[in-house]
Amino acid sequence: MSTVVAPPSRAEYCVVACAEAWRGAGEVLASPMGTVPAIGARLARLTFSPALLLTDGEALLMGDTPAMGTAPGSVEGWLPFRQHLTLTATGRRHVMMGASQIDRYGNQNISCIGDWARPARQLLGVRGAPVNTLNNPTSYWIPKHSPRVFVERVDMVSGVGYDRAAQAGPAASRYHRIPEVISDLGVFDFETPDRTMRLRSLHPGVSVEQVAAATGFALTVPAEVPFTREPTGAELRLIREVLDPKGLRGREVPA
């Protein structure tokens, strides 16, 4: 008797899109922030990027690739905070951060909402965003795409975008790179002449009009926008049975 496999969910398309950010990355540290990016990094390691380094989120380099919420079965190294910062400064890391706001040039805000002198909301602070964006590839994961997040101008710059990196000169722009922005609606990049955000792919069931309405600035939209690639059968099995059997991905991107 054959088993009927449920079609991929929106969350599973997002997992695969995040995993693709680390395709061909080689032996670098993947630093995913968020449930879906964490599953994506583990999926990449188990499939097309086996050399990826992953931590347990604290100070250990994992020797295996456990399920979400499970301690590693083997440890291959120690990476305390000081060494982590050193690794960041050498560029041997690809971090996928979140963003409370992001603009057309990829400037990211996780610090405050409103005027700096009297903000309406206090958030995390800049954290490591400036160092991340100037020293190693920095992608972004945004689980709820809306005009409140994709804004014309961020209230404060935490992660540096392409316009500000260029204005600051070679010292800032030499290693600056934002490979991808992934949201629950699609995948975006900055492969345009003026380094502004471009719609690269739509998740199935999403329209260009829907993305435009949820974005607070004009996106570059190609004449034909492909759909985000579908997870393979093997990838679906890994996501559902090995990496996230508790279905945590569905809490971040509900069906």
Side-chain angles (χ1 to χ4, degrees):
M1 183 177 179
S2 61
T3 302
V4 177
V5 178
S9 66
R10 177 74 61 82
E12 288 162 346
Y13 276 101
C14 292
V15 166
V16 167
C18 289
E20 285 288 345
W22 287 286
R23 182 181 284 274
E27 192 175 357
V28 302
L29 179 66
S31 293
M33 300 181 186
T35 299
V36 165
I39 302 169
R42 296 179 191 209
L43 179 65
R45 188 186 200 187
L46 288 178
T47 53
F48 46 72
S49 294
L52 275 184
L53 301 177
L54 297 174
T55 75
D56 66 345
E58 295 185 12
L60 300 177
L61 285 171
M62 300 191 297
D64 58 355
T65 311
M68 294 293 294
T70 303
S74 65
V75 174
E76 63 180 7
W78 186 48
L79 193 69
F81 193 58
R82 178 179 296 178
Q83 287 182 290
H84 199 132
L85 290 178
T86 301
L87 189 68
T88 299
T90 64
R92 293 175 294 169
R93 178 174 178 252
H94 183 167
V95 58
M96 187 172 289
M97 300 184 70
S100 299
Q101 293 178 328
I102 191 166
D103 67 22
R104 68 175 74 238
Y105 291 101
N107 294 294
Q108 169 244 32
N109 175 24
I110 52 172
S111 185
C112 65
I113 301 298
D115 184 79
W116 167 254
R118 194 177 181 85
R121 296 285 185 274
Q122 179 65 55
L123 305 175
L124 291 172
V126 297
R127 308 291 289 182
V131 175
N132 288 341
T133 48
L134 298 186
N135 288 278
N136 47 226
T138 303
S139 294
Y140 294 105
W141 160 243
I142 299 167
K144 294 183 180 179
H145 192 130
S146 79
R148 295 180 63 182
V149 180
F150 287 75
V151 296
E152 181 66 37
R153 183 181 178 88
V154 297
D155 292 337
M156 179 185 169
V157 176
S158 302
V160 180
Y162 279 100
D163 58 339
R164 287 178 175 267
Q167 290 166 12
S173 61
R174 184 178 181 185
Y175 300 114
H176 177 268
R177 188 163 72 90
I178 307 173
E180 297 180 358
V181 176
I182 300 160
S183 80
D184 60 331
L185 299 184
V187 180
F188 309 82
D189 61 26
F190 299 88
E191 299 300 318
T192 56
D194 59 355
R195 289 298 197 178
T196 55
M197 194 181 295
R198 177 185 74 157
L199 175 59
R200 193 167 83 192
S201 73
L202 294 164
H203 301 328
V206 178
S207 68
V208 171
E209 292 75 20
Q210 184 179 352
V211 172
T215 305
F217 53 84
L219 285 163
T220 295
V221 180
E224 294 187 11
V225 182
F227 285 116
T228 304
R229 81 163 178 88
E230 185 172 328
T232 66
E235 288 171 335
L236 279 179
R237 185 190 68 80
L238 287 171
I239 294 169
R240 295 172 178 179
E241 300 177 17
V242 178
L243 297 174
D244 186 29
K246 295 181 180 179
L248 300 177
R249 60 196 180 278
R251 299 181 188 178
E252 199 164 55
V253 183

